[in-house]
Amino acid sequence: MSLDVAAFERVRKLVYERTAIVIDEGKEYLVESRLSAIAYSHGYPDVNALCRDLEPRRGALVSEVVEAMTTNETSFFRDHHPFEALRTVVLPELIKKRRHVRKLRVWCAACSSGQEPYSTALLIDQEFPELASWNVTIHATDVARNMLQRAATGRYRQVEINRGLSAPMLVKYFAREGLEWELSSHIRRRVVFAELNLVSDWPSMEPFDLVLLRNVLIYFDQPTKQAVLERVRRQVAEDGYLMLGGSETMPNEVRSFERVPIARAGLFRTRRPSQEASDAR
């Protein structure tokens, strides 16, 4: 049975209200494919019946549906160029600026199953051994609780390992555990996972030296993009960096960041208040 209009609209509305993610018209097949297993596991005859029962009183079921509709596409060292920019430009500069405090704070927003924050931790361990004695914390957040629980284990299937992780890194940092590979504990300890919805209330957080908000904004409408970026700006240190996806652009309305001209890195610096005021005139 194909997904009916009412069921599709209910899911679209629910996902947007909870996460601000926009499910475009014509994506009925996507909703049906992602929710079929949930429907059958809960005893519904089809996805239409599941959608009819999505009410506030069914909180756990609603959360399961919303999480299923979030996109969790990720891989180790995804897209290469951003991590090369971190290695050659961002981290050397931040290390120089933070030598007096010996502290570095990174936030990976929408971290999915953890490959991005772990890639960042691996890069730091491999390329910057001087940071071993620093207070380096990588905060990794996501709206999907099931993804966070999986990420915290540091375990990955062979197909996930094959996507972006080099053989030398695999040998150095992972151990075989049955059908999976487990990341070494000293790397896992540098990453702190927590649930956070970018369009809901945020906890109080210290400023970050680097925020990775990669390939997230593409799922939001323009007002939501602007609102999220303005909130992110308040979390980035005055001399810190923001990294978006390589193909993502900064909305014209957001004047608090300036692009760093590194091809395909999606890298931005924070602007000083005087720059923002000048640009606004």
Side-chain angles (χ1 to χ4, degrees), residues 18-36:
R18 294 294 184 95
T19 68
I21 292 173
V22 177
I23 301 176
D24 294 328
E25 293 183 7
K27 292 293 181 71
E28 289 86 352
Y29 69 91
L30 181 66
V31 172
E32 191 164 12
S33 65
R34 292 192 180 182
L35 299 187
S36 291

Side-chain angles (χ1 to χ4, degrees), residues 146-160:
N146 62 331
M147 285 290 106
L148 292 169
Q149 291 170 344
R150 182 164 177 264
T153 68
R155 289 192 171 201
Y156 296 95
R157 300 183 298 273
Q158 186 68 55
V159 66
E160 295 170 311

Side-chain angles (χ1 to χ4, degrees), residues 71-265:
T71 299
N72 297 301
E73 171 63 24
T74 187
S75 62
F76 286 101
F77 298 96
R78 184 180 180 184
D79 300 331
H80 175 70
H81 293 87
F83 289 94
E84 187 64 11
L86 293 182
R87 185 184 71 83
T88 59
V89 177
V90 177
L91 288 171
E93 181 180 311
L94 289 174
I95 290 169
K96 184 177 180 180
K97 290 179 176 179
R98 302 294 186 266
R99 287 195 185 279
H100 62 295
V101 295
R102 299 171 65 81
K103 181 178 179 180
L104 196 63
R105 286 173 52 80
V106 180
W107 177 20
C108 292
C111 69
S112 187
S113 48
Q115 285 94 319
E116 180 176 87
Y118 284 143
S119 294
T120 306
L122 288 167
L123 177 69
I124 288 172
D125 192 83
Q126 178 87 355
E127 300 292 337
F128 303 96
E130 67 269 32
L131 296 183
S133 61
W134 283 36
N135 180 4
V136 177
T137 306
I138 301 172
H139 292 262
T141 65
D142 200 273
V143 70
R145 190 173 303 171
N146 62 331
M147 285 290 106
L148 292 169
Q149 291 170 344
R150 182 164 177 264
T153 68
R155 289 192 171 201
Y156 296 95
R157 300 183 298 273
Q158 186 68 55
V159 66
E160 295 170 311
I161 290 294
N162 291 343
R163 296 188 63 198
L165 194 70
S166 68
M169 274 202 167
L170 174 62
V171 171
K172 183 176 180 179
Y173 292 106
F174 286 80
R176 189 83 183 197
E177 294 290 339
L179 297 177
E180 297 179 314
W181 292 90
E182 183 175 276
L183 181 61
S184 61
S185 59
H186 85 278
I187 297 295
R188 296 203 312 271
R189 282 195 295 268
R190 279 197 162 168
V191 182
V192 178
F193 291 97
E195 187 175 349
L196 186 145
N197 188 330
L198 289 170
V199 298
S200 295
D201 293 335
W202 295 4
S204 177
M205 299 184 286
E206 292 180 40
F208 292 96
D209 305 298
L210 169 66
V211 173
L212 303 177
L213 188 68
R214 302 177 59 223
N215 307 301
V216 180
L217 299 180
I218 55 175
Y219 299 106
F220 297 153
D221 57 24
Q222 200 68 9
T224 304
K225 290 179 185 179
Q226 182 179 345
V228 169
L229 285 166
E230 288 173 349
R231 294 177 76 185
V232 167
R233 173 62 186 89
R234 296 193 287 272
Q235 295 299 148
V236 182
E238 289 301 321
D239 56 353
Y241 285 94
L242 167 68
M243 184 171 279
L244 304 181
S247 62
E248 292 178 309
T249 59
M250 185 69 63
N252 292 331
E253 297 83 358
V254 179
R255 303 181 182 276
S256 50
F257 294 99
E258 62 179 350
R259 179 177 284 277
V260 179
I262 300 178
R264 301 168 70 180

Side-chain angles (χ1 to χ4, degrees), residues 1-70:
M1 175 183 289
S2 60
L3 193 68
D4 63 41
V5 174
F8 179 59
E9 290 302 323
R10 176 169 285 193
V11 173
R12 288 183 72 194
K13 181 180 179 182
L14 177 64
V15 171
Y16 183 80
E17 288 175 346
R18 294 294 184 95
T19 68
I21 292 173
V22 177
I23 301 176
D24 294 328
E25 293 183 7
K27 292 293 181 71
E28 289 86 352
Y29 69 91
L30 181 66
V31 172
E32 191 164 12
S33 65
R34 292 192 180 182
L35 299 187
S36 291
I38 295 176
Y40 297 139
S41 70
H42 286 274
Y44 294 98
D46 53 46
V47 176
N48 288 319
L50 166 68
C51 293
R52 285 194 294 269
D53 209 20
L54 292 177
E55 301 175 359
R57 64 185 176 85
R58 306 297 303 276
L61 180 62
V62 168
S63 296
E64 192 174 352
V65 167
V66 171
E67 289 187 12
M69 291 311 305
T70 60

